[in-house]
Amino acid sequence: KRTAAMVLTGPRALELRELEIPEIDDDGAILRVEACGICGSDYEQFEGLLRTPVPVIPGHEPLGRIAKIGDRAARRWGVDVGDRVAVENMISCRFCAPCLAGRSHLCEKRLIYSYIPLSQAPGLYGAYAEYMWLHPNSVLHKVDETLPASLAVMFNPLGAGFRWAVEIPQTKPGDTVVLEGVRTSDGSVIASAPVDVLIDPFGIVFDSGDGAPVAGTRVTLINVATGQPAQVFGDDGFSAFPSSIV
């Protein structure tokens, strides 16, 4: 069986290709991609700024369903064919000093989905494709069947937002936080941070009202140049999010 995949062959050069879907062993799996988030680094990769190896399949925020899985992989991940999962972007070795210390994101031998070229078998390491191969050291999370794909695929930036806004700085209710820019990840910070007001140096004040530290907080994005609420979905060049419920 073959899969369609968007392959980055050089700066600003994407090609639609048909690639073989590999056979798997007891430790591997194949994901049928349902959706893939677009990261800021995807744009940098597309422009050639990251100098990642090519040709390569981009896309490292995949949401999908298990199409095929080995017996050991099914036991290890606790998933089976048909299960809906989100896949973390980093693949760690699990045995180096950082991994053993619980800092797998600093793994000395880490791999990252979408940065592994086609020349490294089996090649399907990116989610800009119909199917994607899952490395045995991948980290998978089951995803609620009732969530629409457009929301479920936000798992990566939401996870990053929680880590940046809460875990690392140990943010407390009432704190003021400065954000550098307005992107999907910043919106995730808004949804995660237990703060009253978020002040953006590029001209937006994020007012989360009662400071509730959970997603669903009412958030108002204010264009400080005009003093008026920012328009939804970037209509005024400031906001990428609705000025109501995030």
Side-chain angles (χ1 to χ4, degrees):
K1 190 174 180 179
R2 299 173 71 83
T3 178
M6 294 304 300
V7 177
L8 184 69
T9 60
R12 302 183 65 82
L14 283 169
E15 293 181 5
L16 178 61
R17 294 188 184 181
E18 291 282 332
L19 302 173
E20 291 289 337
I21 297 177
E23 295 297 323
I24 60 168
D25 57 20
D26 281 348
D27 286 309
I30 299 294
L31 183 78
R32 178 169 59 82
V33 178
E34 179 180 359
C36 181
I38 299 178
C39 179
S41 62
D42 288 330
Y43 173 74
E44 294 170 335
Q45 183 181 24
F46 175 69
E47 291 285 344
L49 301 177
L50 299 184
R51 299 182 181 180
T52 53
V54 291
V56 66
I57 304 172
H60 57 258
E61 298 182 4
L63 170 75
R65 295 184 183 277
I66 301 296
K68 187 185 295 186
I69 191 167
D71 290 341
R72 279 198 299 265
R75 291 193 297 269
R76 181 174 63 252
W77 289 325
V79 299
D80 208 339
V81 171
D83 284 346
R84 193 186 199 200
V85 298
V87 184
E88 293 193 15
N89 60 355
M90 285 197 181
I91 306 166
S92 64
C93 75
R94 301 184 294 175
F95 298 108
C96 67
C99 283
L100 294 175
R103 299 191 298 273
S104 58
H105 61 291
L106 300 177
C107 174
E108 296 169 355
K109 300 178 181 179
R110 68 183 179 277
L111 300 172
I112 301 176
Y113 281 115
S114 82
Y115 297 163
I116 307 170
L118 293 182
S119 58
Q120 185 166 330
L124 296 181
Y125 286 100
Y128 288 6
E130 295 174 299
Y131 290 87
M132 175 179 171
W133 184 74
L134 298 181
H135 190 284
N137 288 2
S138 300
V139 177
L140 274 58
H141 304 276
K142 281 189 177 180
V143 175
D144 191 324
E145 294 283 349
T146 65
L147 287 176
S150 58
L151 179 60
V153 79
M154 291 287 289
F155 75 91
N156 186 295
L158 281 171
F162 183 83
R163 177 168 174 78
W164 299 336
V166 180
E167 286 187 343
I168 295 176
Q170 299 182 359
T171 311
K172 304 180 298 299
D175 286 351
T176 296
V177 179
V178 175
L179 302 180
E180 296 183 359
V182 186
R183 303 164 297 168
T184 303
S185 52
D186 295 323
S188 300
V189 168
I190 296 169
S192 304
V195 301
D196 291 321
V197 178
L198 296 141
I199 303 174
D200 179 79
F202 291 91
I204 302 175
V205 176
F206 299 87
D207 180 3
S208 58
D210 59 7
V214 295
T217 294
R218 181 166 294 276
V219 178
T220 302
L221 285 68
I222 301 172
N223 179 342
V224 295
T226 64
Q228 300 299 314
Q231 300 297 310
V232 297
F233 302 127
D235 291 343
D236 65 350
F238 283 89
S239 169
F241 302 91
S243 54
S244 54
I245 299 297
V246 173

